[in-house]
Amino acid sequence: MSRGRDKVCLIKLRDELEALGYRDGDTLFGAPYDLRHAPPPPGQPSQVYSDYFARLMGLVQHASKKKGDKPVILVAHSFGGRVVLDFLNSTPLPWRRRFIKHLFLISPSPPTGYMLAVTNLASGSSAVQLPTVSSLALRPMWRTFASSFLSMPAPRVFGHRPLVITKERNYSAYDYPDFLAALGFSTHEIVRFVKRVLPTMLRVDAPMVPTTYLNGIGFRTMEQVMYLEGSFDAATETVYGHGDGAATLASILAFARELESQQRRNNTFFKFVKIPNATHAGIVIEEHALRRVMAEILQANNS
């Protein structure tokens, strides 16, 4: 895990809100989720997320009641953005319009995907870090998490360009079954991936509530990785493009365009804010980025 209180996700944002008078448990509520699990595709079961979504719905209604039955603002970052989108799309539209005033997606994990999901599977996760344990040692554990598959680059965005290059062959976003087999996943695991994960790569469902999507840009971001020494234990070379350090600009823009298109067709507010020189994590930590995030939240709250 990152060291230092200010490095913890959303701590500084919470502190900024509390400095304005918001109070934890009264006008400010958290909804932590279990990173190991993945929201299921529409129509497929998940007891973990059925229970979580029910609790989250109750929390939203509780927060609304504390606010005099007014609608609430939802703020989500990183994988939490993916979770909250799936939550909202699991609720009836009249409920959303009754209880949600505004949704803020801050550098969400886009369903259009990013390369870190690929390298985390191949070489060990950068999302879970322990001081005395290497990413490679954590790799077997990470591969058991359903969420580890969820943000792999989407074929319709990344196309047939090779994402992974090895001595034997190259793998694009259309070659995931073969890539997973090369990593040692079983046929059963690959079939499960095709049934439960691939469908989520092929669709973006906008929340149909007023939404502001904020994302950093301007940092080098992985686009392609090479494993040329006969194993997936460590990449031998990485090719970089532009993005927020996690998601490429192409993935970010594809997600934003699809959200905007759907929201506009339904006459629902949507705003996309690009914050220069802000990383995926730094957008809620670094002063210049956090100041812009806070300004957007306060504007929505006062409208």
Side-chain angles (χ1 to χ4, degrees):
M1 295 182 181
S2 299
R3 292 175 292 176
R5 185 169 182 266
D6 286 349
K7 297 296 185 182
V8 179
C9 174
L10 296 186
I11 288 291
K12 289 197 74 170
L13 179 60
R14 186 199 66 186
D15 290 348
E16 291 289 329
L17 290 168
E18 288 185 337
L20 293 174
Y22 289 88
R23 290 294 173 262
D24 189 25
D26 182 35
T27 53
L28 187 63
F29 302 88
Y33 53 86
D34 189 334
L35 180 62
R36 297 172 299 174
H37 300 281
Q44 297 194 31
S46 169
Q47 189 61 51
V48 169
Y49 269 95
S50 292
D51 293 344
Y52 176 77
F53 287 167
R55 294 196 305 273
L56 184 50
M57 179 180 281
L59 180 62
V60 167
Q61 293 174 182
H62 171 72
S64 173
K65 186 174 182 180
K66 294 275 288 186
K67 197 181 174 185
D69 290 324
K70 296 178 181 178
V72 306
I73 293 175
L74 294 179
V75 179
H77 172 252
S78 193
F79 191 67
R82 179 69 178 265
V83 171
V84 81
L85 277 176
D86 285 326
F87 161 68
L88 288 173
N89 282 306
S90 75
T91 64
L93 187 56
W95 183 92
R96 282 176 250 170
R97 291 177 172 166
R98 162 69 179 83
F99 285 103
I100 307 302
K101 179 178 183 177
H102 206 104
L103 168 66
F104 285 90
L105 298 172
I106 306 172
S107 288
S109 298
T112 44
Y114 48 84
M115 278 296 296
L116 278 175
V118 173
T119 57
N120 285 346
L121 275 179
S123 309
S125 174
S126 59
V128 177
Q129 299 179 10
L130 299 175
T132 60
V133 184
S134 69
S135 294
L136 197 59
L138 291 171
R139 180 171 64 183
M141 179 187 73
W142 181 255
R143 289 181 177 182
T144 67
F145 295 176
S147 59
S148 66
F149 300 93
L150 198 60
S151 296
M152 295 173 73
R156 67 179 178 140
V157 175
F158 289 80
H160 291 279
R161 181 175 186 263
L163 303 176
V164 178
I165 296 174
T166 73
K167 283 184 175 181
E168 289 73 29
R169 62 165 291 181
N170 299 336
Y171 301 92
S172 75
Y174 285 94
D175 299 317
Y176 287 137
D178 292 340
F179 176 61
L180 293 176
L183 293 180
F185 284 91
S186 68
T187 300
H188 171 75
E189 290 170 320
I190 295 170
V191 169
R192 181 178 174 84
F193 168 85
V194 170
K195 288 183 176 180
R196 293 184 68 89
V197 180
L198 275 182
T200 69
M201 295 180 181
L202 302 175
R203 61 183 297 161
V204 173
D205 294 318
M208 299 307 162
V209 297
T211 299
T212 298
Y213 172 15
L214 302 103
N215 216 104
I217 58 171
F219 275 83
R220 74 173 195 165
T221 303
M222 186 190 313
E223 288 189 340
Q224 190 178 68
V225 65
M226 302 180 190
Y227 294 93
L228 302 178
E229 295 183 351
S231 80
F232 290 101
D233 290 351
T236 56
E237 189 174 340
T238 302
V239 177
Y240 292 94
H242 298 286
D244 69 356
T248 64
L249 186 59
S251 182
I252 294 166
L253 294 178
F255 184 39
R257 283 193 297 267
E258 186 59 33
L259 287 178
E260 180 173 24
S261 175
Q262 293 183 31
Q263 296 272 117
R264 299 294 190 206
R265 285 201 302 270
N266 288 273
N267 297 314
T268 304
F269 176 87
F270 179 81
K271 183 178 183 181
F272 178 44
V273 179
K274 299 187 290 290
I275 303 181
N277 303 316
T279 64
H280 181 79
I283 194 170
V284 289
I285 296 173
E286 296 157 5
E287 184 178 351
H288 79 284
L290 185 57
R291 185 164 55 244
R292 181 62 190 274
V293 170
M294 285 295 300
E296 293 292 335
I297 293 174
L298 292 177
Q299 181 180 27
N301 189 50
N302 295 329
S303 63

